[in-house]
Amino acid sequence: MIRTWARQCGRVRRRVQAWRPLPPVEGETFRGFARRLFVLVLPGLWVAGVLVWELAGSGHDQPLQLLAAAPAIACAGTGRRECVVLGGLCALLALVPFGPGSGIAPPAGRLGTCAAVLAVVVASYLTAGRRARLLRELDRTRDVAEAAQRLVLRPLPERLGGIRVAAGHLSAGEGALIGGDLYDAVPTRYGLRVVIGDVRGHGLGAIGTVSVMLGCFREAVHDEPGLPGVLRRLDRTLARHLAERARAEHPACGGVVTDSPAAEEFVTVLLLQLAPSGEFTALNCGHPWPYRFSGGAAEPAAEDGPLPPLGLFPLPDRLRPLSGRLDRGEGLLLYTDGAEDARDADGAFFPLDTQLRACLAEAAPEPPLPGALVTAVRDRIVRHAGGRLTDDVALLALAPGRPRAGAAASPRVPAQGTPHTPDVPRGHHGSHPV
């Protein structure tokens, strides 16, 4: 008997401790807390106002009928328990005479008010229960969607193959973690291989092409000895994917449809191979060149135009990657064009080069860690756009993890297709035709 009573008391105590009118919300501002507090006390303020009106009235008005709105307010703002408690309180108050002359009011009117309040309580109770179930289902669906999206655009660790790595992404699609931008970094026996790209379009509609391109990249980087081979694998995979989409959209035409949206789709791609010593090679198809940064300085890694995006034209017979070397304290910031296309309320574009140098100047004389740099640039983009993005944004920062002793200064990365650079021996500048 005593043990049973103790267990029941323990359950009641846990329920009382678990019930919190205003549970803490991580990262909530004071304005958000004040808004939730106002919603919590609003039904009580409504009841108090109705009672004041009843006490100050002449007896001709019937303000107690307005008490029926209090349970609905409590249900919408707080939840089931508060709705039931407040509804019962309102029903009791409706039966008590208040104000001058209210004692002679017919009891049928007060009983009608009580019945109306109880009806609203029942309806609000059922509505609150259905709302709670829908919220739980929404949370489970969101968890599944986030897990699936993170499998496509998976988070990167802080170090890969002796290289410090950091990535950040902003999706233009509401409620989506990924969109039309793609990036990944995979350590291989050839070095750390990185891809960043942008699929035509943005939001959830581009996720199919993103997943196909990333799946091909993660497989090809281990098989192909050079970046040209990886690029050609990506080009063939994209062509098959677009052909399958065209067949699915127009099965009667066999997939040969020139005016199909799939026929106009393309992907910009930047491939990069980076060694812990700082030596790197790159192939660019229609993508912005990365920024080469150090303490307080940043400049584009190249100035000449890249190759056309994948999906528009066939790749040339010979592909010569750019070659270069990062000095001690230098790194690379890769990005998609959504970073430069972000606009403020006046329509001004985001000045990525200026803001990047400002971020580097704040951390001078030492260059910031890749994670801190990506976070700083991403926050500046969000503030500039006011949280309203018109295109997806991807940022990827790389920095060799082990400094090289006695490394000489190297010039800027040469233009794509240059036959020779002092940083790399002549026999190792380009890859063989694929």
Side-chain angles (χ1 to χ4, degrees), residues 7-399:
R7 285 196 297 267
Q8 292 177 353
C9 290
R11 294 193 191 100
V12 173
R13 187 183 302 109
R14 286 192 296 269
R15 291 176 181 176
V16 171
Q17 291 176 353
W19 180 81
R20 305 181 68 176
L22 284 177
V25 177
E26 184 179 358
E28 184 181 35
T29 62
F30 177 77
R31 179 179 298 179
F33 175 79
R35 186 183 299 111
R36 289 200 300 140
L37 181 61
F38 175 75
V39 172
L40 178 66
V41 302
L42 181 58
L45 296 176
W46 181 270
V47 173
V50 171
L51 293 180
V52 171
W53 186 3
E54 171 73 8
L55 293 174
S58 61
H60 300 288
D61 300 329
Q62 297 180 356
L64 287 182
Q65 296 179 357
L66 298 176
L67 290 174
I73 297 175
C75 173
T78 55
R80 183 183 301 176
R81 294 185 180 91
E82 294 82 355
C83 175
V84 173
V85 173
L86 186 57
L89 178 61
C90 292
L92 293 176
L93 290 175
L95 295 175
V96 179
F98 286 103
S102 60
I104 60 175
R110 294 188 176 274
L111 290 177
T113 302
C114 179
V117 171
L118 292 177
V120 175
V121 168
V122 173
S124 301
Y125 185 91
L126 297 176
T127 302
R130 179 174 176 80
R131 174 189 177 189
R133 289 192 299 271
L134 292 176
L135 289 176
R136 287 193 298 268
E137 294 178 3
L138 179 61
D139 291 338
R140 288 193 296 267
T141 304
R142 184 181 292 111
D143 292 340
V144 173
E146 290 181 359
Q149 292 180 77
R150 292 187 186 281
L151 288 177
V152 177
L153 204 62
R154 57 192 181 189
L156 299 178
E158 295 182 359
R159 282 180 178 270
L160 282 172
I163 308 296
R164 293 195 299 268
V165 181
H169 183 262
L170 297 171
S171 177
E174 185 177 357
L177 295 179
I178 62 177
D181 290 349
L182 59 97
Y183 64 84
D184 203 359
V186 180
T188 67
R189 63 179 182 269
Y190 309 107
L192 181 66
R193 289 184 166 178
V194 181
V195 64
I196 188 169
D198 188 359
V199 178
R200 179 179 178 267
H202 63 270
L204 297 176
I207 293 180
T209 305
V210 169
S211 62
V212 168
M213 298 296 288
L214 286 177
C216 175
F217 170 79
R218 291 163 182 166
E219 181 70 21
V221 291
H222 295 286
D223 300 335
E224 300 293 339
L227 291 184
V230 178
L231 185 62
R232 294 189 186 279
R233 290 270 293 269
L234 291 174
D235 185 51
R236 292 193 295 267
T237 299
L238 178 62
R240 286 195 299 268
H241 172 66
L242 297 182
E244 292 173 356
R245 279 186 50 187
R247 283 194 295 269
E249 295 173 359
H250 304 276
C253 301
V256 184
V257 183
T258 57
D259 59 348
S260 172
E264 301 177 356
E265 187 164 322
F266 60 86
V267 180
T268 67
V269 171
L270 173 66
L271 294 178
L272 183 74
Q273 180 174 306
L274 179 60
S277 61
E279 297 180 355
F280 68 91
T281 56
L283 272 174
N284 192 348
C285 289
H287 200 80
W289 287 107
Y291 278 95
R292 183 172 183 168
F293 66 86
S294 59
E299 60 180 3
E303 295 180 350
D304 287 4
L307 294 171
L310 298 181
L312 294 181
F313 304 99
L315 291 174
D317 295 334
R318 295 184 62 87
L319 296 173
R320 288 185 175 273
L322 299 176
S323 301
R325 178 176 296 170
L326 296 177
D327 293 330
R328 180 179 179 180
E330 289 187 332
L332 293 173
L333 177 67
L334 290 69
Y335 64 97
T336 57
D337 56 3
E340 295 180 324
D341 293 342
R343 301 193 185 195
D344 59 9
D346 298 329
F349 291 103
F350 179 74
L352 179 59
D353 53 350
T354 304
Q355 295 295 329
L356 175 58
R357 294 187 182 95
C359 294
L360 296 171
E362 293 178 355
E366 294 294 330
L369 294 176
L373 180 61
V374 168
T375 301
V377 175
R378 182 178 57 190
D379 292 344
R380 289 172 180 258
I381 293 175
V382 173
R383 287 197 300 268
H384 179 84
R388 298 179 299 272
L389 296 175
T390 58
D391 195 5
D392 304 318
V393 178
L395 302 170
L396 182 61
L398 307 169

